[in-house]
Amino acid sequence: MDELIRLSIQLHLVFIVLLGLLIGINLYLLNSDRTFVKLSKRLELLAPQYYIILSAIFFTGIIVMAVQQFHFSVSLGVMIIVWGGMIAFGIKGRRMYKKIERTESSQKAYKQFASKKYALALLALLATSIFFYTVH
Ligand code: HEM
């Protein structure tokens, strides 16, 4: 049982690191000097990975929770809220992306929103991890 918890937590952490890397790549692309057509092609490629990794974080988290007999803690509550926020902002960003017009202002507004969304996600990822290790 201990082995299962250890493996699930390790996997949970691996996916959190992967998410951090993916967010970093997205931020780099959004702030690079590419044309919007080139940029959107890259972003389209990365979008599914973002949700796959978020699902993997949830899945590994649920396994750890189940093995620990659904013992609840404040840091667990924070993780679930942060995760929900990332999904909610992701959906908002997706809706905004679909409505982008061919005008420069519309594309710029999307880039600004997406940059803020990913920067906040990165901060939340770090803050949640720091919170866990300091409170735990
Ligand atoms: C993106 C959001 C999340 C972040 C940044 C995050 C981060 C972390 C970190 C840093 C740990 C500590 C691992 C260790 O022991 O070294 C952890 C453990 C854990 N996470 Fe998450 N997590 C997130 C989402 C979730 C979700 C959505 C769930 C549940 C559905 C979850 C459930 C757990 C559980 C049960 C543990 C073990 C707690 C304990 O040992 O007391 N996490 N998480």
Side-chain angles (χ1 to χ4, degrees):
M1 202 56 107
D2 279 354
E3 187 65 17
L4 182 61
I5 298 186
R6 212 168 47 83
L7 190 70
S8 306
I9 288 184
Q10 273 171 359
L11 273 176
H12 193 63
L13 283 176
V14 166
F15 286 120
I16 286 161
V17 172
L18 282 180
L19 190 67
L21 284 176
L22 198 62
I23 292 174
I25 297 174
N26 272 295
L27 278 173
Y28 166 75
L29 289 174
L30 281 162
N31 291 296
S32 63
D33 235 0
R34 281 162 223 271
T35 60
F36 197 77
V37 179
K38 274 190 183 164
L39 173 70
S40 58
K41 275 187 194 156
R42 299 267 157 94
L43 294 181
E44 288 275 358
L45 269 177
L46 292 179
Q49 269 85 301
Y50 187 68
Y51 295 101
I52 290 170
I53 295 178
L54 272 174
S55 319
I57 289 175
F58 188 81
F59 184 66
T60 48
I62 286 287
I63 293 177
V64 183
M65 270 177 84
V67 178
Q68 290 179 345
Q69 293 170 346
F70 293 94
H71 162 77
F72 199 79
S73 64
V74 178
S75 31
L76 182 58
V78 172
M79 285 182 222
I80 294 174
I81 292 170
V82 164
W83 185 88
M86 284 183 184
I87 294 281
F89 271 102
I91 294 171
K92 191 170 182 238
R94 202 67 209 153
R95 283 203 185 131
M96 207 173 162
Y97 182 79
K98 283 191 178 161
K99 284 186 194 154
I100 298 177
E101 290 160 17
R102 282 174 182 231
T103 61
E104 203 171 312
S105 62
S106 167
Q107 295 172 351
K108 201 174 159 201
Y110 174 75
K111 276 172 83 170
Q112 271 172 356
F113 172 82
S115 294
K116 271 190 202 150
K117 181 190 93 170
Y118 285 120
L120 273 177
L122 198 58
L123 268 178
L125 216 64
L126 286 172
T128 312
S129 306
I130 292 170
F131 184 75
F132 180 88
Y133 291 118
T134 47
V135 167
H136 214 62

